[in-house]
Amino acid sequence: MELSEKVIECVPNFSEGCDSAIIDSIANAISQTKGCVLVDVDASSSTNRTVYTFFGTPESVVEGALNGALEASKHIDMKNHTGTHPRLGALDVCPFIPIKGVTMDDCVKCAQNFSEQLVKELDVPVYLYGHASKKEYRNTVPQIRSGQYENLPEKLKDEKWKPDYGPTKFVPFWGASIVGARDFLIAYNVNIMATKEQAHRIALNIRTTGRGPTQPGLLDKIQAVGWQEEKANVSQISVNVLDYNVTAVHVVFETCVEEAKKLKLAIAGSQVVGLVPLKVMLDAADYYMAKEDLFIVNEDQKLRLVIDRLGLNSLGQFNPQEKIIEYVVGSNKNGPLASMPLCDFVHSLGSRTPSPGGGSGSAAVAAIGAALSTMVGWMSFGKKKFEGLDSAMRTLIPPIYQVMVDLMPLVDADAKAFNMYMDALKLPKNTPEEKERHTEALQAGLTASINTPLKLIETVSRVWEPLTELAKLGNIQTKSDIQVGVRCLETGVWGAYYNILINLPDVKDEAYKEQVKTTSEEGLNMAKAKTEEISHILENREK
């Protein structure tokens, strides 16, 4: 999926989860908006609610959300709406979330722009929440939604609850919408073989607010409620993970398992609604690997482990390519150069164009060096002849493998930085303003052209200590492979250093120049010293 350098996620929740024709019509209105990519539609008949997840530029997500709302206004009538999920309006909640190349302020502007256009088109009340709200007493969705749709006519009479946008009159078919800007939230359901009441009992136990001020819940930054999922014939502990760095998804799952055991109830897997960051999955993998003393390095295998342990396929297939946000927006994938067949990449380097050049070549060579070194680790692990090394290899392989993975994106990053500088050279400079923009763009291009090789040096610096140990212990039959690998890594650092030197003189920020010079020289000196040390170790090894 190709998306802009500026990506915002929008996750509108509409109060319709039963009529597939209406659900599809809203989805089509969003997906047919230019610049919007609809990636998930999660409909629930029991909650009578559908969550749509789509991405786009700041401008396109506002238009996509508006198109979805306008389509919903043709079909949804809140006077007839019932469902187990709390709701305030036809478009109940519409958050804008920063994903790539944007700030929270950009998302606040999206929330404001969308609210203005929604009122212009439909003349309905709109409340702002999250980072878009300026009123502490109505900053969260539960605060604003208190009393729900049924209590909205009275709420609108209270000056304290005057909408941020739109009329104070009650609009029966629509209700009111809650629009905001927030950090990434994970909607996560844990399936339990129990009644709705038992599921809600566990939800009260785990959610941050618990049962009230005197009975707080077990987990921080967690909202939760219990309900019945009629289609699957299970109940669910429906959780909003407000900050997965505070409380991880796997912690939510394991806590639910423990609480269910106290009630002699069974957990039957779980479900991610919408998308989830890759870090959430890898953190869970680390947890289960440590808990079960497992040794897994490959990212795909780690994902398979988490999908199994959390039971993410219990109510439908969890496809990482469709459910993990980095995979969807392509921010974790190698670019076109690194994805080329080797023959094509070499020919691209040898063509009559300045890009790709030495920086991309240096990153590729260094990645090959880390790959060869990783291979030596694997050739020393899991073999009966070297079973005494298994424990050491479990420690040494992962950091070397990770350096290999982290070097690959730099192949394209270097070419991108060079092209950024060349584009800056072409900018007009006829007026003082144009000259200023030209200078700023040139400096930004130079900085990018320096930061990429600097990152290469810093990345390779992480490999020397485990590589030194690997040289002492690894399978002696792979001696030549690690010798080649070490020299490739050193060559990559030299190449990065030369690329820094050629760009550094034109940088105007003297403090930055001095810092880069110091860091790059330290990295180069380390590479030279460690290459000689490792080479000496290998040359003197006989077994």
Side-chain angles (χ1 to χ4, degrees):
M1 178 184 301
E2 291 297 326
L3 287 170
S4 163
E5 287 301 304
K6 292 186 175 183
V7 180
I8 286 178
E9 180 187 32
C10 185
V11 191
N13 291 220
F14 288 94
S15 296
E16 175 56 65
C18 301
D19 191 321
S20 60
I22 297 175
I23 294 167
D24 291 344
S25 70
I26 296 172
N28 290 335
I30 294 170
S31 63
Q32 290 172 10
T33 304
K34 184 178 179 181
C36 289
V37 180
L38 181 65
V39 296
D40 192 71
V41 178
D42 189 275
S44 170
S45 58
S46 59
T47 61
N48 201 7
R49 185 182 187 87
T50 299
V51 180
Y52 299 81
T53 304
F54 66 98
F55 297 95
T57 63
E59 298 79 13
S60 64
V61 291
V62 169
E63 185 179 356
L66 184 63
N67 288 340
L70 293 178
E71 184 64 25
S73 71
K74 301 174 186 176
H75 307 288
I76 298 176
D77 188 344
M78 289 301 294
K79 297 192 300 294
N80 304 318
H81 183 272
T82 58
T84 58
H85 197 290
R87 75 282 184 272
L88 194 64
L91 169 56
D92 188 51
V93 180
C94 185
F96 295 89
I97 303 128
I99 296 298
K100 178 183 174 187
V102 293
T103 65
M104 187 60 73
D105 286 341
D106 294 322
C107 292
V108 169
K109 290 176 184 175
C110 285
Q112 294 168 342
N113 292 340
F114 170 71
S115 299
E116 289 173 358
Q117 294 186 47
L118 185 65
V119 171
K120 182 179 178 181
E121 293 289 341
L122 298 179
D123 194 29
V124 295
V126 177
Y127 293 98
L128 295 179
Y129 85 102
H131 290 272
S133 173
K134 296 180 181 178
K135 298 179 176 68
E136 188 173 340
Y137 69 89
R138 57 190 225 191
N139 180 268
T140 69
V141 170
Q143 287 172 331
I144 299 170
R145 200 194 269 145
S146 176
Q148 298 196 55
Y149 169 82
E150 287 75 14
N151 194 52
L152 187 58
E154 289 301 314
K155 180 177 276 191
L156 286 166
K157 296 176 184 177
D158 187 344
E159 181 65 24
K160 185 179 177 182
W161 287 100
K162 179 180 178 181
D164 292 287
Y165 292 90
T168 55
K169 67 180 181 182
F170 179 54
V171 183
F173 89 95
W174 187 265
S177 293
I178 308 169
V179 180
R182 61 165 171 80
D183 294 310
F184 197 91
L185 174 152
I186 300 169
Y188 178 64
N189 299 330
V190 179
N191 309 322
I192 182 168
M193 313 299 283
T195 65
K196 171 187 170 182
E197 289 73 18
Q198 289 170 317
H200 190 61
R201 180 176 171 183
I202 294 176
L204 293 175
N205 290 346
I206 69 168
R207 71 184 188 182
T208 305
T209 56
R211 289 175 167 78
T214 61
Q215 291 182 286
L218 297 171
L219 303 175
D220 291 334
K221 298 290 184 179
I222 293 296
Q223 297 171 336
V225 64
W227 63 41
Q228 182 79 23
E229 178 51 64
E230 294 173 358
K231 278 187 180 180
N233 195 28
V234 296
S235 292
Q236 289 186 317
I237 304 157
S238 180
V239 180
N240 281 340
V241 181
L242 303 180
D243 189 337
Y244 59 85
N245 291 307
V246 173
T247 299
V249 166
H250 63 269
V251 172
V252 173
F253 181 78
E254 292 296 328
T255 304
C256 288
V257 169
E258 290 304 312
E259 291 300 300
K261 284 180 181 177
K262 295 176 184 177
L263 300 176
K264 294 182 171 54
L265 299 172
I267 295 295
S270 62
Q271 173 192 33
V272 171
V273 180
L275 277 71
V276 64
L278 178 62
K279 183 179 184 296
V280 168
M281 300 294 286
L282 296 182
D283 285 350
D286 289 342
Y287 169 80
Y288 288 110
M289 286 160 56
K291 180 181 179 181
E292 301 171 32
D293 194 24
L294 305 174
F295 180 53
I296 305 173
V297 175
N298 181 272
E299 186 169 287
D300 179 65
Q301 293 177 349
K302 289 182 179 182
L303 296 180
R304 289 173 182 270
L305 173 70
V306 176
I307 291 169
D308 178 76
R309 297 300 188 267
L310 297 183
L312 293 177
N313 284 332
S314 57
L315 297 185
Q317 184 182 16
F318 182 95
N319 184 342
Q321 298 303 320
E322 297 175 355
K323 299 294 286 184
I324 295 177
I325 192 166
E326 287 84 353
Y327 291 177
V328 172
V329 304
S331 60
N332 75 310
K333 297 175 183 176
N334 293 319
L337 291 173
S339 300
M340 280 183 179
L342 178 60
C343 181
D344 292 348
F345 177 66
V346 171
H347 277 285
S348 181
L349 281 174
S351 64
R352 189 191 283 270
T353 58
S355 177
S360 293
S362 298
V365 169
I368 289 171
L372 283 168
S373 303
T374 303
M375 182 265 282
V376 171
W378 286 122
M379 295 299 292
S380 309
F381 174 80
K383 295 177 180 287
K384 188 172 183 180
K385 182 179 179 180
F386 303 110
E387 62 183 352
L389 297 177
D390 280 4
S391 177
M393 293 304 126
R394 283 179 174 231
T395 302
L396 298 177
I397 292 173
I400 301 172
Y401 175 88
Q402 193 58 50
V403 166
M404 176 192 75
V405 171
D406 292 344
L407 286 169
M408 291 300 293
L410 301 184
V411 175
D412 284 270
D414 186 85
K416 182 178 177 182
F418 177 80
N419 292 333
M420 179 180 172
Y421 177 75
M422 295 303 291
D423 289 342
L425 287 174
K426 298 172 186 175
L427 291 174
K429 45 183 177 178
N430 300 314
T431 67
E433 292 79 12
E434 288 179 347
K435 288 179 180 178
E436 184 177 353
R437 283 196 294 270
H438 180 270
T439 300
E440 289 175 354
L442 278 179
Q443 289 298 303
L446 279 171
T447 301
S449 297
I450 290 169
N451 286 343
T452 300
L454 187 64
K455 186 174 181 180
L456 187 155
I457 292 174
E458 292 172 340
T459 301
V460 172
S461 294
R462 300 183 348 231
V463 86
W464 297 122
E465 290 305 322
L467 199 51
T468 302
E469 292 304 306
L470 184 62
K472 296 175 183 176
L473 301 173
N475 182 347
I476 192 64
Q477 294 177 336
T478 60
K479 175 180 175 179
S480 62
D481 298 295
I482 196 170
Q483 286 172 320
V484 175
V486 168
R487 290 296 179 183
C488 284
L489 286 160
E490 183 192 27
T491 299
V493 172
W494 270 108
Y497 180 73
Y498 289 139
N499 273 272
I500 290 171
L501 286 187
I502 200 169
N503 288 302
L504 205 56
D506 293 327
V507 174
K508 294 184 177 182
D509 187 335
E510 293 299 326
Y512 170 76
K513 287 170 70 171
E514 191 60 35
Q515 178 188 357
V516 169
K517 188 171 182 290
T518 299
T519 303
S520 59
E521 287 179 352
E522 288 176 350
L524 177 64
N525 290 334
M526 178 185 289
K528 291 192 292 185
K530 283 296 183 179
T531 297
E532 291 307 311
E533 179 184 350
I534 293 169
S535 297
H536 180 74
I537 291 170
L538 292 167
E539 287 165 5
N540 288 279
R541 272 195 65 182
E542 295 181 0
K543 60 178 182 178

